[in-house]
Amino acid sequence: MDPTVPKATLKVLGLCAALLVLVAAVTVAVAVMVWRSEALGKLQGCRERAANESRELGTRLAELERERARLQRAAAAGAEVGDALRRDIARARGDTRKVNASLASCRERAARLEVNVTALGDELVALRRERAELARGKAALQAELARGEEQARGLRQRLDEVMEQQRALRARGEQCQARQRELEDTLQDYATELDAQRRRTRDRATGRRCPPSRYFLCGWWWDSRGGGHRSSHSS
């Protein structure tokens, strides 16, 4: 065997090994460079995110500060409200005792009112019965009133008739009075004439006398006329 062959093979193997190492080194270098660029990109992204988050955290911190101040003011106001509420609770407890006393009084009044309501209910029933009786009495009174009105109309008609008769009688009375006055005037004239005749007769007494029968007839006629009474008054 040629001793130069193993040497050449060893050289080739060495070259291949060196080439592989070189390729591996290049590959590693490229991989490192790629990883570095990615790492740098990620780092830049992280920095940007960190900056954004930092700004957001600053804004959130400012909001939290404002919220803390608001909560502190609210806590102070809540403390004041709590004090006011405690005072109100104390007053409410005092008022509760008063309300309990008032409630007991109200219950007593409610019991009395219930008794009164029962009594009023009984009175209402009695009043309803009385109202029904009054309604019946009212109906009877209305019927009687209708009959009374009918009778009143009849009496009014009769009164009108009586008044008409009274007016007629008054007119007849006036006519009778007028006739009576005329008769009285006539009788007065007759009495005057007879008085004159009697005076003339007395004046002639010394002369021719009237027979007794004629005197009797003259006296009867005079009395029938009513002149004797008037002549006696006039003489």
Side-chain angles (χ1 to χ4, degrees):
M1 179 176 183
D2 190 358
T4 60
V5 174
K7 291 181 181 180
T9 301
L10 290 173
K11 287 180 181 181
V12 171
L13 290 174
L15 289 172
C16 289
L19 182 60
L20 288 173
V21 170
L22 180 62
V23 171
V26 171
T27 301
V28 170
V30 171
V32 169
M33 289 178 64
V34 171
W35 175 80
R36 183 178 178 184
S37 62
E38 290 177 358
L40 289 174
K42 290 180 180 180
L43 181 61
Q44 185 66 30
C46 289
R47 287 178 179 175
E48 292 177 358
R49 286 195 299 273
N52 292 331
E53 290 178 359
S54 178
R55 286 192 298 271
E56 291 177 359
L57 288 174
T59 304
R60 182 61 179 168
L61 182 61
E63 292 177 357
L64 291 174
E65 289 292 334
R66 289 192 295 271
E67 185 69 19
R68 184 175 65 84
R70 187 182 66 79
L71 290 175
Q72 286 178 351
R73 291 191 297 271
E80 294 178 357
V81 171
D83 294 336
L85 287 174
R86 282 190 290 272
R87 290 191 296 270
D88 291 338
I89 289 170
R91 285 194 299 269
R93 287 176 180 173
D95 294 338
T96 302
R97 289 190 292 270
K98 294 179 182 178
V99 168
N100 290 329
S102 299
L103 183 60
S105 178
C106 288
R107 286 175 179 172
E108 293 177 358
R109 290 181 62 187
R112 290 195 297 270
L113 287 173
E114 187 175 359
V115 174
N116 293 331
V117 166
T118 303
L120 288 174
D122 296 336
E123 291 181 2
L124 181 61
V125 173
L127 287 174
R128 286 177 177 172
R129 293 198 192 96
E130 186 176 356
R131 182 180 179 183
E133 294 177 358
L134 289 174
R136 291 191 292 270
K138 183 179 179 181
L141 288 174
Q142 287 178 351
E144 187 175 356
L145 180 61
R147 291 193 297 271
E149 289 179 352
E150 186 66 26
Q151 293 177 0
R153 284 193 293 271
L155 291 174
R156 192 177 295 110
Q157 292 177 358
R158 291 182 61 187
L159 179 61
D160 293 337
E161 293 175 357
V162 170
M163 290 180 68
E164 186 66 26
Q165 293 176 0
Q166 186 177 5
R167 286 193 293 271
L169 290 174
R170 189 179 295 110
R172 291 181 62 185
E174 291 176 355
Q175 293 177 0
C176 290
Q177 288 179 358
R179 291 182 63 186
Q180 184 178 0
R181 285 193 295 271
E182 291 177 358
L183 289 173
E184 288 178 355
D185 294 337
T186 303
L187 290 174
Q188 184 68 30
D189 294 338
Y190 284 155
T192 303
E193 184 177 357
L194 287 173
D195 287 339
Q197 289 179 0
R198 289 179 67 183
R199 283 194 296 272
R200 287 193 297 271
T201 302
R202 282 196 299 270
D203 292 339
R204 296 173 185 176
T206 55
R208 188 175 56 185
R209 300 182 63 88
C210 183
S213 60
R214 290 187 63 185
Y215 284 122
F216 177 75
L217 291 174
C218 290
W220 175 80
W221 180 81
W222 180 257
D223 291 335
S224 66
R225 290 291 185 178
H229 180 69
R230 290 183 179 276
S231 64
S232 64
H233 283 290
S234 61
S235 62

